[in-house]
Amino acid sequence: MPDHSPPPPTDAPPDLVLQGSNLSLHPSGVDTGARGERELLEPFTRFRTAPLTALQEFGQHVNGTGWRSYDKIIGKEIFYPGFSENMIRMVMAQPKLKRKIADLAGKRMEVELQEGRLGPIGLEGEEVEWRGERARRKDELEGQLAGVAEKWVGEMICKMESKYFIRGAYYLATQLLTRAYHQGIHVNSEEVLQLRRVADEAAKKGQSILFLPCHRSHVDYVSLQLICYRLGLALPTVVAGDNLNFPVVGAFLQHAGAMWIRRSFGNDQLYITLVQSYIDTLLQNGHNLECFIEGGRSRTGKLLQPKFGFLSFVLDSVMSGSVQDCLIVPVSTQYDKVIEVDSYVSELLGQPKKSESLSSFLSASNVLSLKLGRVDMRFHEPWSLRDFVTTQRSRLVQQPDVSTHSEDAAFRRRLLTTLGFRVLKEINDVSVVMPTALVGTVLLTLRGRGVGKRELVRRVNWLSNRVREKGGRLAHFSTLNAETVVDRALDVLGPKLVGRVEGLPEETVFAEDRFQLSFYRNMTIHLFISQALVCAAVYTKVKAGGGEDAQHISYTELREYVLFLSHLFRAEFIFDTRPLDENIAETLMGLEADQVLQTTFKDGKVDTITLHPAERSIGRENFDFYCFLIWPFIEAAWLGAVSLFMLSTPRAAKNAGASAWLPLPAVQDRAQLLGKTLFHQGDLSYFEAVNKEALKNAYTRQEEEKTIIVRREKDGDAKTPPKVSLAREWQPKRDSEGKLVAEGKLWDFCERIGQGRLEGKSRRDSGAVVKRVLELTDLVAAELWMPADKAVSGQKGRKKSGAAIPARL
């Protein structure tokens, strides 16, 4: 097969000098119709159809024909014999690691002295002998610690030593990935050209690039590595949890760029210093890195809160002066369909996460034959970490109560927090909204069971316009019309997620698996969180009923409820950092321009807010859209609050002397069971509200607010589950029969959340609902207060019964 590839990249490879706005890494060889799009991943011949041609193509990669040679890369040279050994030597030579080894050896000697294993200095003749023994013992201990450290370094570091291996791995990964994502991997040409220019400048200065992507799938790091390879950039060292370091696959990934670190460091000072020394070594030598800002993969589709562990190491490298600077590049990776969503739903419904293994990896191989649509990767403009630190220090220098010394703990924490949330915001800024996210969002924000095809296309167009107005980006589909894009999205989502009703005059579809579709809806919610909160506040009045005059809400009431929800969901969403009143004012202005809400003014200020007459005339469809976005989260928060009633000690248990402290994981498991029961009995509108992640966030918030007290082992023993108890002032009352009473701070808190809940069947009969919910809460909590032996037998009985609640609801 002739080689039609472009020549190796120089300052800017010819195939990247484009006129359009997008660059497609499309494998099919077919013109997608998008002006300015080009292929970066060449089409591969399948072994089944043309084995000789396919072998020839594979040989071109292994031997390095044309750009595949990967010789003229931008960045630090990583492929040479002895790369791993050299890296180990450099890490072991780090001064901080040597100091830590000496310090740990000295502390161990002190222990041995106290235990009497090293004799005291006695007579003059014995003193020299004892000192010699101590020196020998110290050398021995330092040697042992150094040996352990060197072994750990060898297990930790990435080992990209062979160009032949990387070429073959690129070929294999591209084959697999482009068969799963048949519409290709897409990037923005301007962004990648800018990235190449910045990488070239960084290479001349010996600086590293730190890629900080969001994390929704294991495909994330494969996609970024493929793009860097095709652009001629030095492959980044990927920070990965050692749970992926299982036989065969672990070794492959390590030679393809993965470095392994423990999921938890505990208080292992040697290991912590070792990781810092390795990071210092990589940054000092200009090696690119990649780390997922959220830590683990998002199981819900929206961004998780930032994890600061790895960022802390990089920040220390720069602030300590060990490294002059490095460049930060936030990266967004979006998918039409995420391979792992099925397993995510299982985990969110309380099933334990399966350990990574070769068998589980191979069992997922069937996804490679599916048509999962496309991948879109976007790169934010790179920026200097050193400049960021300098800017933050200069901003705080005006505040006399805040120290800006590099060792000040409060300043460092503030710096880390600001850094993490800035990266998340910039990931959201460059993210694109995929067609599946548009369709999934529309299907979950419509009243009724199904929707006709024309109406679906109309609402997708409406949502697309709202995305653009909010400054969001849509996946580029060139000249394809909305109906064609919707058809593509429906094909990718498939009948498991979106059902079709046959035999009707118009093609009609409906949300078959609402739980899974919520993953794709959550990819858009960050754009509309302000509108959703404001509309939920207005809904508290709409829900109360009455005429139009009764459905006005004062600005003060609206502001209070928006503030309440913002605090409630601070662990769920990435909020605008502007002042609340400024944000509300802009949101109201936009909603009024769209004729969703109408405001009245008094003395030049907003006085009241209500539904716009035009919105009432179309059946509240746009207002309901924003409410539908936030209602599942309000339901989850309400469930989390109601479940706290389980922490109220029953009278019988109190009389028996039961402890008020319960295992937190067990409480959260029972909270899920409570949510499932409430859903099936009609007192909870959204099954996705019972997801494990939302309940964890709810309990984290209650701990921060001191509604609950969580007691953890001081040594951080992971085998001992934390215990939880309800704070004294939040304890609910019980009547003379020992039944829970709907009074007190906890019930008021539940009611406050409930003001914004979607009104469901029989909710207006509040007395009966309250009685039923509280009685059910006590019933579900009963097992938590059983003696340990009976509780265990009860759990075994439930497991044997195998009663499972389906996710597809």
Side-chain angles (χ1 to χ4, degrees), residues 508-519:
T508 302
V509 297
F510 61 93
E512 176 71 40
D513 190 335
R514 300 183 69 89
F515 207 122
Q516 280 207 44
L517 278 177
S518 69
F519 183 93

Side-chain angles (χ1 to χ4, degrees), residues 126-139:
E126 296 174 338
E127 183 175 347
V128 175
E129 181 181 349
W130 285 122
R131 284 180 174 171
E133 180 184 343
R134 288 172 183 166
R136 287 192 297 272
R137 180 56 179 159
K138 189 170 187 299
D139 289 343

Side-chain angles (χ1 to χ4, degrees), residues 543 635 638 682-686 754 757-767 769 772:
K543 177 181 177 181
E635 288 280 83
W638 179 82
D683 292 309
L684 198 70
S685 297
Y686 294 93
R757 294 177 69 204
L758 170 63
E759 185 176 65
K761 183 180 179 181
S762 80
R763 290 242 181 105
R764 292 187 180 181
D765 189 8
S766 58
V769 173
R772 186 169 64 247

Side-chain angles (χ1 to χ4, degrees), residues 82-130:
F83 169 79
S84 298
E85 289 78 6
N86 187 45
M87 183 61 69
I88 292 172
R89 282 195 298 271
M90 288 192 291
V91 174
M92 294 302 297
Q94 285 288 337
K96 66 181 61 176
L97 180 58
K98 290 183 174 181
R99 288 195 300 269
K100 178 58 68 174
I101 288 174
D103 179 54
L104 292 174
K107 290 180 178 178
R108 182 60 193 168
M109 284 189 65
E110 291 176 6
V111 172
E112 292 183 357
L113 276 169
Q114 292 174 359
E115 293 175 349
R117 282 189 275 170
L118 286 176
I121 297 176
L123 299 176
E124 185 176 347
E126 296 174 338
E127 183 175 347
V128 175
E129 181 181 349
W130 285 122

